[in-house]
Amino acid sequence: MQRKRRKNLPASGDHDQEKDGGARLGMKRASIAKLGDKLDSGDILLGDEDEDSDDDAAVFSLADMSPAESVLSDEEILLDQKKDIKIPDGSTKTEVWRTDWHKNHMAAISSERFDSLLKMCPDFQGCKSHMAAFVLIKEVFDTAGRPCEHYKVVALGAGRFSCNKWLCYNGTMVHDCHAIIIARRALLRFLYKQLLLFFDADPKAKENCIFESSTDSHQLQLKPKISLHLYTNQCPEGAAKNFYFKVSANHTWTSMKLQYHAKSLLVPVAYLDPSFWGSKVCCMSGSDKLCCWIVTGVQGALLTHFIQPLYITSMVLGGPQLLSKEMSDITNKRLGEGWEDLLPPSYKKHDIFFLCCDQAGPVVTSSQHDNLSINWCCGDKDIEVLDSTEGFIIDGSPSVSGPGFSSRLCKRALYSSFRLVAQLGGHSYLLDLPTYHSVKVEAIIYQTVKDLVKQQFLSTHAGSWNSKKLVDCFSA
């Protein structure tokens, strides 16, 4: 596979759709208004993407996406749409995500979704060895009025490396391409698509959105009986793979050190040269980020302006059964206890329920696919393939996005999506903030919660969670 080294190009092009002002906004409203022609009231969670659409234009960025064609068309029934679990009449209900059926089904639908996306580009099938997928589960009722569970894969990522280049200051480089990190960024893209539905003028569009208004907050909340779940066929990088850090005397996990991906190695934060950290891309490990997400939620700072924290309910790991207990302790107990009362309303320490199942996909990545990363979310017509060591799209990727081969998951692309949603939602004050960094800082409560998590890492001697503010100081 031929790859070209991409340079950081000026921040312009497809990711900067908001510059066209009122005329473009009018076009967006007209486009989104077409949703009513495509919505299927039989699937109130969300529709499926139209893989056989006659529309020749690939979905390159959220701002160019037609929600009618790309989010809610529902013309092909796939495995993950109609697999239901029945609850016997009169029985005491056990949450489906605590069952063996759940873990096996999560693996099956994640694997099937990956395979279906790679049907037209089998050259990238080897990337499946390091794969992750986010799944939404909604409780619905069958035709007999009995409750059943509707599973839907909404975001998918594959990859096993992070970028090892100099820092990029215009937001066009994807720094971390490990599977769960890429899947989470694809999930953010999906959430922005859902917000487009909520702010559409057509009531039918809002009905098909996963969010609803909250009576006690200006932020939207997830509709009742919808939950978020994560599958990965590899244990996350970081402390979760280093069980020897466990203190056997009192069986605590709080002594584990924060770790960074740097120089293609996993380095404890205490051993990372500050000069290297200040100039080259260094990414927190996946297990460290997972530990943070149980408190902050997976939505990040920007989406917090619109929605309440979104937590992972369960996580299914492909691998030995012992991983579930170890991962649960590492992730859920690592921050210690006694500080949760300091969290503001709507935030909590939401422990993840871990399960293990057989691994889906090859155990080892072929050398041909070693540096490649794949992303997709519900509504995208094609997968996007990145060179994880460069942080940009490769030649031959089925989907090619913004300027300079920048990804649809890069900070600049998601910032453009944020501004479009802010515009449609009437949040003009957010559009007046000058930079991506200033928008993050404006999420004051979220930043307070994240600072509390950082302080907990310090108090448990895990190390300092450093933030690179300069890479966020780009404008629209």
Side-chain angles (χ1 to χ4, degrees):
M1 180 66 63
Q2 181 184 7
R3 303 180 191 85
K4 293 183 179 179
R5 184 175 181 177
R6 304 297 176 193
K7 297 182 180 179
N8 299 335
L9 300 183
S12 62
D14 292 347
H15 294 329
D16 298 305
Q17 302 294 325
E18 66 276 4
K19 289 184 178 181
D20 293 337
R24 176 60 62 101
L25 176 59
M27 293 173 62
K28 295 299 176 187
R29 291 194 183 279
S31 175
I32 295 174
K34 297 178 182 178
L35 282 167
D37 298 331
K38 290 279 185 174
L39 295 177
D40 180 355
S41 59
D43 184 358
I44 63 174
L45 173 59
L46 54 126
D48 191 22
E49 70 286 352
D50 184 3
E51 297 182 1
D52 300 318
S53 172
D54 293 330
D55 183 5
D56 293 330
V59 180
F60 296 141
S61 67
L62 180 63
D64 282 336
M65 180 193 71
S66 167
E69 292 293 334
S70 304
V71 179
L72 291 169
S73 53
D74 189 17
E75 297 178 3
E76 183 175 352
I77 302 300
L78 297 174
L79 173 65
D80 57 338
Q81 287 182 275
K82 299 298 180 184
K83 286 290 187 182
D84 301 334
I85 217 177
K86 300 290 193 285
I87 307 299
D89 295 338
S91 66
T92 301
K93 181 174 181 180
T94 299
E95 292 92 342
V96 65
W97 44 267
R98 293 182 181 273
T99 65
D100 287 343
W101 184 92
H102 167 76
K103 69 182 185 182
N104 295 326
H105 190 58
M106 286 282 291
I109 63 174
S110 300
S111 177
E112 187 279 336
R113 169 54 67 191
F114 186 94
D115 292 343
S116 68
L117 291 168
L118 272 291
K119 282 189 300 186
M120 302 304 296
C121 41
D123 290 346
F124 304 117
Q125 186 69 32
C127 297
K128 193 177 182 180
S129 64
H130 290 71
M131 176 190 70
F134 278 97
V135 176
L136 285 180
I137 300 178
K138 180 176 176 62
E139 182 180 310
V140 295
F141 293 94
D142 64 16
T143 54
R146 296 168 299 186
C148 58
E149 313 296 330
H150 181 155
Y151 283 63
K152 180 70 178 181
V153 177
V154 296
L156 185 145
R160 59 186 300 258
F161 284 112
S162 58
C163 183
N164 54 18
K165 299 297 181 181
W166 297 98
L167 289 175
C168 171
Y169 298 99
N170 64 6
T172 58
M173 177 192 291
V174 177
H175 291 173
D176 193 345
C177 287
H178 287 87
I180 66 169
I181 308 304
I182 285 293
R184 183 256 183 173
R185 295 189 74 82
L187 175 68
L188 301 184
R189 181 173 161 82
F190 168 76
L191 296 177
Y192 280 118
K193 293 179 181 182
Q194 289 296 303
L195 289 173
L196 287 181
L197 292 179
F198 184 86
F199 291 121
D200 184 70
D202 187 346
K204 199 74 173 291
K206 186 175 294 188
E207 177 185 335
N208 282 267
C209 176
I210 65 172
F211 295 114
E212 65 179 8
S213 299
S214 171
T215 57
D216 55 359
S217 172
H218 70 281
Q219 298 164 305
L220 305 179
Q221 63 185 12
L222 206 59
K223 287 180 178 178
K225 300 181 179 180
I226 298 178
S227 55
L228 180 68
H229 304 262
L230 174 61
Y231 168 79
T232 179
N233 61 1
Q234 294 282 348
C235 185
E237 294 282 347
K241 278 193 172 180
N242 294 280
F243 300 141
Y244 55 82
F245 278 116
K246 180 178 178 180
V247 181
S248 58
N250 55 9
H251 299 285
T252 63
W253 300 84
T254 55
S255 62
M256 289 187 172
K257 307 303 180 184
L258 292 173
Q259 299 179 74
Y260 284 90
H261 291 284
K263 304 179 183 179
S264 300
L265 300 172
L266 201 56
V267 183
V269 62
Y271 300 111
L272 191 62
D273 190 320
S275 63
F276 185 91
W277 180 88
S279 58
K280 291 291 191 73
V281 173
C282 304
C283 306
M284 298 298 299
S285 73
S287 61
D288 293 337
K289 291 181 178 180
L290 196 63
C291 188
C292 181
W293 293 340
I294 68 171
V295 181
T296 63
V298 297
Q299 76 291 333
L302 268 65
L303 277 166
T304 302
H305 288 289
F306 308 121
I307 65 175
Q308 293 182 10
L310 183 59
Y311 295 105
I312 300 170
T313 298
S314 77
M315 182 171 177
V316 178
L317 301 166
Q321 185 61 37
L322 65 89
L323 284 178
S324 61
K325 179 63 167 66
E326 307 287 11
M327 275 293 298
S328 178
D329 286 346
I330 292 167
T331 305
N332 297 326
K333 298 181 180 180
R334 193 172 169 202
L335 292 174
E337 299 177 348
W339 55 273
E340 296 91 332
D341 291 342
L342 299 175
L343 293 171
S346 77
Y347 285 90
K348 58 185 175 181
K349 181 174 175 289
H350 185 93
D351 290 353
I352 299 173
F353 185 77
F354 286 89
L355 306 97
C356 285
C357 67
D358 294 337
Q359 185 178 23
V363 177
V364 180
T365 305
S366 66
S367 57
Q368 179 186 2
H369 303 96
D370 222 21
N371 295 335
L372 299 184
S373 173
I374 290 174
N375 71 78
W376 170 90
C377 79
C378 185
D380 290 338
K381 189 172 183 179
D382 294 303
I383 61 169
E384 181 183 76
V385 184
L386 309 181
D387 182 337
S388 57
T389 62
E390 299 276 348
F392 289 90
I393 300 171
I394 68 165
D395 294 321
S397 170
S399 175
V400 179
S401 189
F405 285 79
S406 57
S407 170
R408 59 194 178 191
L409 300 187
C410 71
K411 290 185 177 184
R412 177 166 291 278
L414 294 179
Y415 185 35
S416 178
S417 303
F418 167 85
R419 290 179 62 84
L420 175 60
V421 171
Q423 194 172 30
L424 292 176
H427 301 279
S428 58
Y429 71 99
L430 294 174
L431 300 175
D432 294 334
L433 297 173
T435 64
Y436 176 87
H437 175 67
S438 62
V439 173
K440 292 178 68 173
V441 171
E442 188 67 17
I444 298 173
I445 297 179
Y446 175 87
Q447 296 298 345
T448 300
V449 172
K450 191 168 184 179
D451 287 344
L452 181 58
V453 172
K454 293 178 181 180
Q455 185 58 45
Q456 283 305 117
F457 278 125
L458 284 173
S459 67
T460 57
H461 309 291
S464 175
W465 184 303
N466 297 316
S467 299
K468 294 184 176 181
K469 299 178 181 178
L470 288 179
V471 299
D472 293 337
C473 291
F474 60 90
S475 57

